[in-house]
Amino acid sequence: MKLSREILRSEAEIAERVQQIGREITETYAGQEISVLGVLKGAFVFLADLTRQIRLPMEVGFVESVASRRSDSLTEIVFSTSLRFSASFRIEGMHLLLVEDILDTGVTLAYLCEQIQLYGPRSLRVCTLLDKPHRRKVDFSPDFVGFKVPDRHVVGYGLDYQGKYRNLPFLSYVE
Ligand code: IMP
Ligand code: MG
């Protein structure tokens, strides 16, 4: 697998879309304070840009990657036993916005949301930069989506292939 020469979304296209989603989120939660929770590692770039486009009082935290794939096999997702949140991150009674890099089969986000609900947030919404709607295995609809993408392995802007390419400022593929 190597990096494609094709650019899926340029840095400028991403910046424009992130600004739009930031505005949507600002309007959705108008007058409220939110807790923004980024899923490590993939969401770290998106989260940094997105939070700066949201005009609301907020706290920001991270949750350690809950799922990892044993191989490229899409079915072998291994979940850690309990979620690890940033110290002193508040969920109970808060309007929680979960931020993820990509929604693929939906297994990861469905699991995360189920776990987060146990901590008693006042509300829970999900924002994902990318969505591969054709690969869904569990019923899951995000509240905010950056771009729908085809069924290829996307890298860049936080997303990796075997740990690499997270630092690319644009979105591309490996092939
Ligand atoms: P799901 O549980 O199948 O929805 O998988 C979601 C997780 O798989 C994401 O959080 C990513 O870490 C990873 N993933 C799925 N597709 C891609 C991709 O195209 N590039 C990079 N990571 C991906
Ligand atoms: Mg991820």
Side-chain angles (χ1 to χ4, degrees):
M1 297 281 256
K2 65 179 184 45
L3 188 63
S4 165
R5 299 163 71 101
E6 204 180 310
I7 288 182
L8 173 63
R9 297 286 174 179
S10 69
E11 211 175 333
E13 286 173 308
I14 298 168
E16 193 188 334
R17 187 69 189 117
V18 170
Q19 195 177 56
Q20 289 167 352
I21 305 169
R23 227 176 275 140
E24 252 181 79
I25 291 171
T26 304
E27 284 163 17
T28 301
Y29 290 100
Q32 292 169 331
E33 181 178 341
I34 61 175
S35 272
V36 183
L37 184 63
V39 184
L40 291 175
K41 301 172 190 172
F44 83 106
V45 178
F46 179 42
L47 187 85
D49 286 344
L50 180 67
T51 49
R52 286 176 292 172
Q53 298 298 332
I54 301 174
R55 310 283 181 242
L56 297 168
M58 67 168 69
E59 286 181 26
V60 178
F62 295 96
V63 59
E64 293 274 339
S65 86
V66 287
S68 60
R69 291 209 169 120
R70 237 173 240 156
S71 57
D72 285 342
S73 154
L74 297 154
T75 47
E76 280 193 284
I77 294 177
V78 187
F79 289 107
S80 53
T81 43
S82 66
L83 302 186
R84 286 180 25 210
F85 299 101
S86 311
S88 78
F89 183 76
R90 292 189 296 155
I91 296 179
E92 196 183 339
M94 302 297 291
H95 292 294
L96 200 93
L97 177 65
L98 186 62
V99 177
E100 181 48 314
D101 54 356
I102 185 164
L103 171 59
D104 186 13
T105 63
V107 173
T108 305
L109 274 173
Y111 174 82
L112 265 172
C113 286
E114 187 189 298
Q115 291 296 307
I116 288 168
Q117 289 290 8
L118 303 176
Y119 293 83
R122 189 155 160 200
S123 70
L124 174 60
R125 287 190 177 90
V126 172
C127 176
T128 180
L129 174 68
L130 305 176
D131 182 9
K132 286 182 182 167
H134 301 298
R135 298 197 9 105
R136 208 74 89 247
K137 276 194 196 140
V138 298
D139 189 29
F140 191 92
S141 335
D143 301 275
F144 308 96
V145 177
F147 304 105
K148 291 200 168 147
V149 291
D151 183 13
R152 293 170 68 182
H153 194 95
V154 182
V155 295
Y157 199 69
L159 290 101
D160 75 308
Y161 174 68
Q162 296 188 341
K164 303 280 179 354
Y165 307 115
R166 292 191 196 276
N167 57 320
L168 295 177
F170 50 84
L171 287 163
S172 184
Y173 304 104
V174 289
E175 52 192 13

